[in-house]
Amino acid sequence: MVNDDLTTKNRTPKHHTARIRTARAGTAAALVLSALALAGLAHADGHTMPKVTGRGLVDAFQALDYDTGIRFRDGRGAGRHVLWPASWKVCGQQPAPGTPMKGRQITLTVVKDEERCAHGAG
């Protein structure tokens, strides 16, 4: 008798394999974001919010202060998560450029590189 819920090679449930792939992708994304945060230390002035709208997400990370909290908003409204920053760009930012950054939460509105920003930025 064949169980369709199991892969034929190692008898691991298919849904379990998908969860492992998702966990690995999340771990890889966390490592990339950590590395980008450390790289941003050398470039951040730490005083005011730079203009990051229109930049690639990797470039935006490098311009931001390493200890600043960053939240992402999907510019398409689909609630997608940023797993690979190199394939996203910034369409909007909150706070505005020039705003003092110390201790502020930053929200970046992002879309995939091949997509257009809703309000023409990037």
Side-chain angles (χ1 to χ4, degrees), residues 5-89:
D5 285 343
L6 301 177
T7 59
T8 57
K9 205 170 202 177
N10 61 10
R11 300 287 183 212
T12 302
K14 289 180 183 179
H15 65 279
H16 181 69
T17 303
R19 274 192 251 160
I20 290 171
R21 284 189 200 125
T22 302
R24 286 181 183 158
T27 301
L31 290 172
V32 169
L33 292 175
S34 296
L36 289 172
L38 292 173
L41 177 61
H43 302 286
D45 67 11
H47 300 289
T48 60
M49 178 69 180
K51 181 182 184 294
V52 295
T53 300
R55 292 184 179 188
L57 190 51
V58 172
D59 190 32
F61 274 123
Q62 291 174 343
L64 296 170
D65 197 350
Y66 73 96
D67 65 349
T68 304
I70 302 171
R71 180 175 41 191
F72 300 106
R73 179 181 305 145
D74 183 356
R76 292 292 203 200
R80 298 174 295 180
H81 298 282
V82 175
L83 294 178
W84 192 250
S87 65
W88 294 77
K89 63 183 175 184

